[in-house]
Amino acid sequence: MSDPAPTCTAGMPWQDRSRPAEARSLPVRACVRAMRAYEPPLEERTGIRLDFNENTRGCSPTVLAAIRSMDGRDIAQYPSYRALLTTISRTHGLDIASVLLTNGADDALRVIMDACVSAGDTILLLSPSFSVYQTYASLREAVVRWVPYEDSFAFPFTSLQDALRSQSPRLCIIANPNNPTGTTITPQALLGLTAANPATLFIIDEAYADFSGQTCLSLPRPENMFIIRSLSKSYGLAGLRLGFLVAAPAIATQLRKAASPYAVNVMAVKAGIAALEDRQYLRSSVKEVIENRSWLRAQLGVRGIHSYPSEANFLLVSNSAIGRRRVSDILSSRGIRTRRFPELGCIRVTIGTAQECEMICLALDGRDSRGAPDAGTLLFDLDGTLIDISASYWEAIRQTVTQFTGRIVSDDEITVYKSKGGMNNEWDLTQTILSNSWTDATRRITRTPPSRETIIAAFQQAYWDDGRGLILQEKLLAPIALLSSLRTYFRLGLVTGRPRRETSFTLRRFGIQELFSTIICMEECARQKPDPCGLRQAMSATPGPWRYIGDCVDDMRAAARAGIPCIGITTATRAQALRFAGAAATYPSVIALGKDLMELVELRQCRTPLPSYPPATRPASKRTARGSTP
């Protein structure tokens, strides 16, 4: 058993020590101020998403049909829960009075904690396990005690028994299977623990139970056991937030007092009924995960990568080094997202479709999606290379200079400044032109030269204007079809001096954001091109060899300092200036370059078959017939 843990206000691993001193005056409880916030992804997660244990196959087609059948009146009404409760009770053989609908499994935890845990109560948690358990315990100002999993991540049954006897906790939470280890304990053993400790309440989190085939729902349940279920994983309804908890009917009646009366929305109700009734889809989805899990674990093993036995829809994988790079970095460079657990030296990999599992193996083997040796990474500049900025950035420069000086700036003048270097940032370029334009005549318009902050504000008003400005005049210089073809052979990355907000806006507008494995923006680097900071960050996240494609002198110089070849695009700078700055070659457009690259790579691409590994545990046709989540 681990040493007793302190209360939620003293030195817990989730305590946020970086908060400013003035936070102490905020009108929130001390335990909330001490917590580290759980930070879900706020931006769109591109690539192959194997980081949040979602069902990458998607939900049942009957769920989509049920949602499409809804009309405006359905949305306008408060939800009715009788039909969904009846479906749940019939599916699992439950007394309808024992079932409480919740807004996902997280909401079920909150309801139980609010109803049953008081400040100072002891809660027993296993480590490692789902971090939200600790979050809700701290909100109740409970005292948390820890029981660590064994070194092999086997369930610590003896240590847990000892802790239950010595600590007499108010509540014990057990995930079965456990997240992130995939470990299970038999339902009979859980019933034995609850019977031996009648004064302790037990929450059995069965979010992943469909993948293990073990559940406490089918057994007689004592009054001190709560069971939590989720429709996010096996049913593929994570985006709708639907779960339920099961308790003794008398206790469920009391729990409803602590629950929101309309925690589950009407769309989730419709989808939940359809999902539960499509038992065939559930069986096939679970079967596919189990087969893919077994296959992927075997494939990792023959590559010398250790993974732990799992009964869930994920594997906990050792984040070992292959050559000079760790498994997580190799997968990330291919756009494969995983969840990192640095304290365990592991990553958690969601079991996706058959093709997604094969993409993992291809990435680890250094091969592309066709099984051929990887051609490396193409790193692109954005402005002037992939995006025509003559009517946006350049026009914003002209308008800003005219606003403060009254004179007109020509395209040729901007080109001359760009060719000199040191002018990769349009704010710097605008300020330089203004400084060089300041004469007695301009002083009649503005008595003193504008500050940098004033220049930037005027520039952004013209260019950005909350997404309504000149940014809408930009055009894509590289057809999506060409970029998609290049991505077949190369990893694609982006290194730009734009702010991330404007970069994301533009990439989404043209529908090309998902084509790039890594995107480095202004915020990621304290120093901009010609400093190689951004390029080096992109290189650390992608496989070599690397080539950088840019349109200005600073791009060429940054690539030279990063030690990689650079190809110049002559949209903004003369070819001679680019070659003098270090360009290995110049092209009039990305289209012309792309055609040459495609011809070259198709001529040289090796068609060597994949290494001979042990056969998969599922038929080969299944491994190649299904699609992949982009």
Side-chain angles (χ1 to χ4, degrees):
M1 185 180 69
S2 61
D3 293 333
T7 63
C8 68
T9 59
M12 295 299 287
W14 37 259
Q15 186 171 356
D16 186 359
R17 300 184 184 278
S18 63
R19 62 188 178 88
E22 58 267 23
R24 299 172 188 170
S25 63
L26 295 175
V28 295
R29 292 158 55 205
C31 64
V32 176
R33 295 200 307 268
M35 290 169 56
R36 178 185 300 156
Y38 181 82
E39 297 180 356
L42 299 179
E43 295 186 359
E44 184 178 358
R45 289 154 51 228
T46 59
I48 300 175
R49 298 174 295 183
L50 305 182
D51 51 345
F52 276 80
N53 297 342
E54 296 151 321
N55 186 332
T56 65
R57 186 185 187 188
C59 64
S60 162
T62 62
V63 170
L64 298 178
I67 292 174
R68 293 189 185 105
S69 71
M70 299 178 67
D71 58 26
R73 290 171 297 180
D74 294 320
I75 302 297
Q77 297 174 354
Y78 285 105
S80 173
Y81 295 141
R82 173 60 60 175
L84 178 55
L85 287 168
T86 300
T87 303
I88 291 172
S89 61
R90 183 175 64 247
T91 300
H92 295 286
L94 302 170
D95 181 350
I96 195 171
S98 68
V99 181
L100 177 65
L101 297 179
T102 59
N103 190 253
D106 296 1
D107 185 41
L109 286 167
R110 183 197 60 77
V111 169
I112 296 170
M113 293 273 198
D114 285 352
C116 302
V117 177
S118 300
D121 282 348
T122 298
I123 295 180
L124 198 61
L125 300 178
L126 281 74
S127 177
S129 198
F130 187 33
S131 62
V132 171
Y133 302 155
Q134 191 175 2
T135 299
Y136 285 124
S138 68
L139 286 172
R140 298 307 305 161
E141 299 186 82
V143 178
V144 177
R145 303 285 191 240
W146 300 92
V147 177
Y149 271 84
E150 298 175 8
D151 291 342
S152 63
F153 293 128
F155 191 88
F157 188 79
T158 301
S159 297
L160 181 59
Q161 283 182 313
D162 293 342
L164 287 167
R165 282 194 295 266
S166 62
Q167 302 293 338
S168 299
R170 170 63 171 169
L171 178 66
C172 176
I173 306 178
I174 300 172
N176 194 39
N178 184 51
N179 174 19
T181 63
T183 310
T184 58
I185 177 175
T186 66
Q188 291 75 15
L190 287 172
L191 288 177
L193 287 173
T194 58
N197 300 275
T200 296
L201 302 175
F202 287 82
I203 295 178
I204 311 303
D205 184 349
E206 293 191 347
Y208 300 95
D210 286 327
F211 304 106
S212 70
Q214 301 187 75
T215 177
C216 291
L217 289 177
S218 58
L219 300 177
R221 290 175 303 281
E223 288 195 350
N224 62 331
M225 176 185 282
F226 305 100
I227 301 172
I228 293 175
R229 296 297 293 251
S230 169
L231 274 72
S232 296
K233 313 302 181 183
S234 53
Y235 289 96
L237 302 185
L240 293 178
R241 312 305 301 129
L242 177 59
F244 62 92
L245 70 84
V246 180
I251 297 177
T253 298
Q254 300 303 313
L255 293 179
R256 289 187 183 92
K257 298 177 182 178
S260 169
Y262 296 109
V264 178
N265 66 69
V266 290
M267 190 175 295
V269 170
K270 280 271 192 181
I273 294 171
L276 288 163
E277 290 179 343
D278 192 350
R279 302 297 295 172
Q280 177 57 38
Y281 190 85
L282 173 67
R283 284 191 291 269
S284 66
S285 182
V286 169
K287 182 174 182 289
E288 180 179 357
V289 167
I290 293 172
E291 290 176 350
N292 292 349
R293 184 180 68 200
S294 176
W295 183 85
L296 181 59
R297 187 160 189 252
Q299 296 298 311
L300 292 172
V302 297
R303 288 165 173 81
I305 301 170
H306 178 68
S307 61
Y308 294 88
S310 172
E311 296 296 322
N313 69 334
F314 55 81
L315 286 173
L316 189 65
V317 179
S318 174
N319 195 18
S320 52
I322 299 178
R324 293 185 299 174
R325 306 174 71 205
R326 295 203 172 272
V327 171
S328 58
D329 295 327
I330 294 172
L331 298 181
S332 176
S333 72
R334 296 297 193 89
I336 301 173
R337 292 176 173 267
T338 61
R339 188 70 179 269
R340 303 189 188 197
F341 291 85
E343 69 278 10
L344 304 178
C346 294
I347 58 173
R348 189 189 64 200
V349 182
T350 304
I351 303 300
T353 63
Q355 188 171 350
E356 287 167 338
C357 291
E358 287 187 340
M359 290 295 290
I360 292 173
C361 296
L362 289 170
L364 295 173
D365 294 338
R367 294 175 177 269
D368 65 20
S369 59
R370 299 186 180 188
D374 200 312
T377 301
L378 298 179
L379 298 172
F380 287 91
D381 172 53
L382 184 62
D383 301 327
T385 303
L386 295 179
I387 302 295
D388 180 359
I389 59 170
S390 60
S392 60
Y393 270 136
W394 286 26
E395 179 60 25
I397 292 172
R398 286 189 284 266
Q399 290 186 17
T400 305
V401 172
T402 300
Q403 176 181 335
F404 291 109
T405 68
R407 82 177 188 87
I408 305 299
V409 179
S410 67
D411 286 353
D412 287 343
E413 184 176 354
I414 294 175
T415 300
V416 169
Y417 276 102
K418 284 279 188 181
S419 298
K420 293 178 181 178
M423 292 291 130
N424 187 60
N425 185 309
E426 273 68 23
W427 296 340
D428 294 339
L429 176 54
T430 305
Q431 186 175 18
T432 299
I433 295 175
L434 277 170
S435 178
N436 293 340
S437 302
W438 208 253
T439 64
D440 290 339
T442 57
R443 288 190 178 90
R444 299 192 190 102
I445 300 174
T446 304
R447 184 175 298 275
T448 58
S451 65
R452 178 175 174 81
E453 291 73 19
T454 302
I455 293 170
I456 292 174
F459 183 99
Q460 288 298 102
Q461 179 62 33
Y463 173 74
W464 174 241
D465 191 21
D466 291 328
R468 301 185 299 267
L470 293 169
I471 192 172
L472 296 177
Q473 303 303 313
E474 294 176 342
K475 298 177 182 178
L476 186 63
L477 293 173
I480 295 177
L482 173 61
L483 293 174
S484 298
S485 296
L486 289 172
R487 190 170 180 257
T488 303
Y489 299 102
F490 301 92
R491 300 300 101 191
L492 303 185
L494 199 63
V495 180
T496 176
R498 279 198 192 204
R500 179 161 290 279
R501 176 184 62 177
E502 295 165 19
T503 301
S504 297
F505 178 89
T506 298
L507 296 181
R508 286 197 300 268
R509 178 170 169 247
F510 291 114
I512 60 175
Q513 184 162 358
E514 293 193 2
L515 296 177
F516 297 96
S517 300
T518 186
I519 300 174
I520 306 298
C521 300
M522 173 190 288
E523 291 84 350
E524 277 74 58
C525 287
R527 302 176 303 278
Q528 299 299 309
K529 293 177 283 189
D531 190 282
C533 168
L535 284 176
R536 286 174 176 162
Q537 284 196 39
M539 291 164 65
S540 69
T542 54
W546 301 272
R547 302 164 185 84
Y548 187 46
I549 298 100
D551 73 313
C552 69
V553 167
D554 287 341
D555 291 329
M556 308 301 111
R557 291 174 177 170
R561 294 176 186 179
I564 61 175
C566 190
I567 300 170
I569 305 299
T570 58
T571 52
T573 310
R574 298 181 180 93
Q576 182 179 1
L578 294 177
R579 286 194 293 269
F580 185 77
T586 58
Y587 285 83
S589 68
V590 171
I591 296 175
L593 167 64
K595 290 179 179 178
D596 274 7
L597 283 173
M598 291 301 297
E599 290 178 6
L600 179 65
V601 79
E602 287 174 359
L603 283 173
R604 295 185 178 180
Q605 195 63 249
C606 173
R607 296 302 175 189
T608 306
L610 286 173
S612 178
Y613 292 120
T617 57
R618 59 182 186 278
S621 59
K622 286 189 177 182
R623 297 206 309 274
T624 56
R626 302 183 187 118
S628 170
T629 301

